[in-house]
Amino acid sequence: EEYKNLEMRIIWPNGTVRWMLANGTVYRDADEKPNRMIGIVQDITAQKEAQKKIIESERKLSETLKVAKVGYWEYDVLSDKFIFNDQYYSLHKTTVKEVGGYEMSSKFFAEHLVYSKDSARVGSAIFQAINSSDKNFEYQSEARIMTIDKKPIWIIVWFRAIKDANG
Protein backbone atom coordinates (compact mmCIF):
# COMPACT_ATOMS: atom_id res chain seq x y z
CA GLU A 1 0.00 0.00 0.00
CA GLU A 2 1.26 3.48 -0.85
CA TYR A 3 1.13 6.69 1.06
CA LYS A 4 1.51 9.89 -0.91
CA ASN A 5 1.94 13.50 0.09
CA LEU A 6 1.54 12.82 3.78
CA GLU A 7 2.31 16.11 5.56
CA MET A 8 3.33 16.09 9.18
CA ARG A 9 5.05 18.24 11.75
CA ILE A 10 8.03 17.00 13.67
CA ILE A 11 9.78 18.51 16.65
CA TRP A 12 13.57 18.50 16.67
CA PRO A 13 15.39 17.86 19.97
CA ASN A 14 16.00 21.63 20.32
CA GLY A 15 12.22 22.28 20.12
CA THR A 16 12.19 23.53 16.52
CA VAL A 17 9.06 22.53 14.61
CA ARG A 18 9.56 21.44 11.00
CA TRP A 19 7.07 20.38 8.32
CA MET A 20 7.80 17.16 6.43
CA LEU A 21 6.30 15.62 3.31
CA ALA A 22 6.44 11.84 3.17
CA ASN A 23 5.85 9.46 0.28
CA GLY A 24 6.41 5.74 0.34
CA THR A 25 5.22 2.18 0.13
CA VAL A 26 4.46 -0.39 2.81
CA TYR A 27 5.16 -4.00 1.79
CA ARG A 28 3.30 -6.84 3.46
CA ASP A 29 4.05 -10.52 3.86
CA ALA A 30 1.75 -13.40 2.90
CA ASP A 31 -0.21 -12.88 6.15
CA GLU A 32 -0.75 -9.18 5.28
CA LYS A 33 1.55 -8.03 8.08
CA PRO A 34 3.80 -5.09 7.25
CA ASN A 35 7.36 -6.32 6.85
CA ARG A 36 9.14 -3.56 4.95
CA MET A 37 8.69 0.13 4.25
CA ILE A 38 10.46 2.26 1.66
CA GLY A 39 9.95 5.99 1.41
CA ILE A 40 11.30 9.50 1.27
CA VAL A 41 10.82 12.47 3.52
CA GLN A 42 11.30 16.05 2.40
CA ASP A 43 11.52 19.13 4.62
CA ILE A 44 8.82 21.52 3.35
CA THR A 45 8.99 24.05 6.17
CA ALA A 46 10.00 26.90 3.83
CA GLN A 47 7.07 26.17 1.51
CA LYS A 48 4.63 26.04 4.44
CA GLU A 49 5.91 29.37 5.74
CA ALA A 50 5.59 30.91 2.26
CA GLN A 51 2.01 29.56 1.97
CA LYS A 52 1.16 31.03 5.35
CA LYS A 53 2.51 34.44 4.27
CA ILE A 54 0.52 34.32 1.02
CA ILE A 55 -2.69 33.42 2.86
CA GLU A 56 -2.14 36.26 5.33
CA SER A 57 -1.35 38.69 2.52
CA GLU A 58 -4.52 37.67 0.67
CA ARG A 59 -6.55 38.14 3.86
CA LYS A 60 -5.13 41.64 4.34
CA LEU A 61 -5.75 42.55 0.70
CA SER A 62 -9.32 41.31 0.93
CA GLU A 63 -9.92 43.39 4.06
CA THR A 64 -8.37 46.44 2.39
CA LEU A 65 -10.61 46.04 -0.63
CA LYS A 66 -13.66 45.79 1.64
CA VAL A 67 -12.76 48.92 3.59
CA ALA A 68 -11.94 50.89 0.44
CA LYS A 69 -15.03 49.54 -1.37
CA VAL A 70 -12.88 48.42 -4.29
CA GLY A 71 -13.97 45.57 -6.52
CA TYR A 72 -11.68 43.44 -8.66
CA TRP A 73 -12.57 41.87 -11.99
CA GLU A 74 -10.97 40.15 -14.94
CA TYR A 75 -12.23 39.63 -18.45
CA ASP A 76 -11.01 36.56 -20.32
CA VAL A 77 -11.29 37.40 -24.01
CA LEU A 78 -11.07 33.82 -25.27
CA SER A 79 -13.87 32.50 -23.06
CA ASP A 80 -15.83 35.78 -23.16
CA LYS A 81 -16.25 35.55 -19.38
CA PHE A 82 -15.89 38.05 -16.58
CA ILE A 83 -14.52 36.91 -13.23
CA PHE A 84 -15.39 38.97 -10.14
CA ASN A 85 -14.45 38.96 -6.47
CA ASP A 86 -16.79 39.31 -3.50
CA GLN A 87 -16.03 43.02 -3.11
CA TYR A 88 -17.03 43.66 -6.70
CA TYR A 89 -20.41 42.08 -6.07
CA SER A 90 -20.83 44.20 -2.95
CA LEU A 91 -20.68 47.30 -5.18
CA HIS A 92 -23.79 45.93 -6.88
CA LYS A 93 -25.39 45.28 -3.47
CA THR A 94 -25.40 41.54 -4.10
CA THR A 95 -23.36 38.42 -3.39
CA VAL A 96 -21.74 35.70 -5.44
CA LYS A 97 -24.41 33.30 -4.21
CA GLU A 98 -27.25 35.53 -5.40
CA VAL A 99 -25.65 36.01 -8.83
CA GLY A 100 -24.71 32.37 -9.25
CA GLY A 101 -20.91 32.29 -9.29
CA TYR A 102 -17.73 34.25 -9.73
CA GLU A 103 -17.84 33.93 -13.52
CA MET A 104 -20.42 35.28 -15.94
CA SER A 105 -20.71 35.89 -19.66
CA SER A 106 -20.09 39.38 -21.00
CA LYS A 107 -23.70 39.36 -22.25
CA PHE A 108 -25.11 38.72 -18.76
CA PHE A 109 -22.74 41.34 -17.32
CA ALA A 110 -23.80 43.96 -19.86
CA GLU A 111 -27.51 43.22 -19.45
CA HIS A 112 -27.67 43.03 -15.67
CA LEU A 113 -24.82 44.96 -14.10
CA VAL A 114 -23.92 47.79 -16.49
CA TYR A 115 -26.13 50.86 -16.59
CA SER A 116 -27.83 50.78 -20.01
CA LYS A 117 -26.86 54.37 -20.95
CA ASP A 118 -23.18 53.51 -20.28
CA SER A 119 -23.08 50.10 -21.95
CA ALA A 120 -21.78 51.47 -25.29
CA ARG A 121 -18.95 53.28 -23.50
CA VAL A 122 -18.04 50.16 -21.50
CA GLY A 123 -18.10 48.04 -24.65
CA SER A 124 -15.97 50.59 -26.49
CA ALA A 125 -13.37 50.62 -23.71
CA ILE A 126 -13.11 46.83 -23.77
CA PHE A 127 -12.88 46.87 -27.58
CA GLN A 128 -10.06 49.45 -27.41
CA ALA A 129 -8.18 47.35 -24.87
CA ILE A 130 -8.47 44.18 -26.94
CA ASN A 131 -7.46 45.84 -30.20
CA SER A 132 -4.76 48.17 -28.91
CA SER A 133 -1.16 47.45 -29.90
CA ASP A 134 -0.04 49.20 -26.70
CA LYS A 135 1.31 46.51 -24.36
CA ASN A 136 0.66 48.87 -21.44
CA PHE A 137 -2.88 49.88 -22.38
CA GLU A 138 -4.74 51.42 -19.45
CA TYR A 139 -8.19 52.90 -19.17
CA GLN A 140 -9.77 55.05 -16.51
CA SER A 141 -13.18 56.66 -16.49
CA GLU A 142 -16.29 57.18 -14.47
CA ALA A 143 -19.27 54.99 -15.27
CA ARG A 144 -22.50 53.82 -13.79
CA ILE A 145 -23.24 50.29 -12.74
CA MET A 146 -26.51 48.78 -11.64
CA THR A 147 -27.20 47.49 -8.19
CA ILE A 148 -29.08 44.22 -8.09
CA ASP A 149 -32.28 46.19 -7.39
CA LYS A 150 -31.71 48.20 -10.62
CA LYS A 151 -30.43 51.43 -9.09
CA PRO A 152 -27.54 53.14 -10.89
CA ILE A 153 -24.47 54.14 -8.90
CA TRP A 154 -21.35 55.97 -10.07
CA ILE A 155 -17.98 54.28 -9.86
CA ILE A 156 -14.46 54.93 -11.09
CA VAL A 157 -13.29 52.24 -13.49
CA TRP A 158 -9.61 51.54 -14.01
CA PHE A 159 -8.17 48.61 -15.87
CA ARG A 160 -5.16 47.55 -17.86
CA ALA A 161 -4.88 44.98 -20.60
CA ILE A 162 -2.61 41.98 -20.15
CA LYS A 163 -1.77 40.27 -23.42
CA ASP A 164 0.05 37.08 -24.24
CA ALA A 165 2.81 36.79 -26.87
CA ASN A 166 0.16 36.62 -29.62
CA GLY A 167 -1.42 39.88 -28.51
Side-chain angles (χ1 to χ4, degrees):
E1 93 194 53
E2 291 186 359
Y3 57 95
K4 292 186 177 189
N5 301 323
L6 178 63
E7 293 182 5
M8 66 192 95
R9 288 177 292 171
I10 63 168
I11 302 174
W12 292 85
N14 69 2
T16 303
V17 176
R18 305 295 293 181
W19 278 93
M20 298 295 172
L21 176 67
N23 289 283
T25 303
V26 176
Y27 294 93
R28 298 180 181 276
D29 63 18
D31 297 325
E32 292 297 313
K33 293 182 181 174
N35 67 356
R36 188 168 52 128
M37 188 172 176
I38 297 174
I40 60 168
V41 177
Q42 179 183 7
D43 186 339
I44 59 168
T45 304
Q47 292 95 316
K48 285 295 207 179
E49 289 171 356
Q51 285 174 345
K52 186 177 178 182
K53 286 179 183 176
I54 289 169
I55 290 167
E56 181 60 17
S57 178
E58 288 174 347
R59 185 195 64 76
K60 288 178 181 177
L61 176 59
S62 181
E63 289 299 317
T64 301
L65 292 174
K66 283 180 189 174
V67 170
K69 295 186 179 182
V70 172
Y72 173 85
W73 59 271
E74 292 181 32
Y75 175 62
D76 184 318
V77 175
L78 296 178
S79 69
D80 192 33
K81 299 251 186 219
F82 278 93
I83 303 163
F84 302 105
N85 70 349
D86 291 318
Q87 288 76 24
Y88 183 85
Y89 285 127
S90 73
L91 296 173
H92 292 277
K93 310 284 191 243
T94 190
T95 65
V96 67
K97 186 176 181 180
E98 290 174 343
V99 174
Y102 288 103
E103 291 185 8
M104 71 176 62
S105 70
S106 62
K107 184 177 190 262
F108 185 90
F109 171 70
E111 290 174 355
H112 297 281
L113 300 178
V114 176
Y115 186 63
S116 61
K117 292 181 181 176
D118 289 349
S119 62
R121 186 163 40 134
V122 171
S124 174
I126 292 170
F127 180 83
Q128 287 175 40
I130 292 169
N131 294 297
S132 174
S133 60
D134 182 359
K135 291 189 297 187
N136 300 309
F137 180 89
E138 291 187 16
Y139 177 87
Q140 183 171 339
S141 180
E142 291 181 352
R144 288 167 287 191
I145 60 172
M146 298 297 292
T147 63
I148 204 68
D149 55 357
K150 303 295 182 196
K151 293 180 181 162
I153 60 170
W154 283 96
I155 62 167
I156 294 174
V157 177
W158 174 86
F159 69 84
R160 64 185 168 97
I162 301 172
K163 298 184 177 195
D164 64 16
N166 298 322

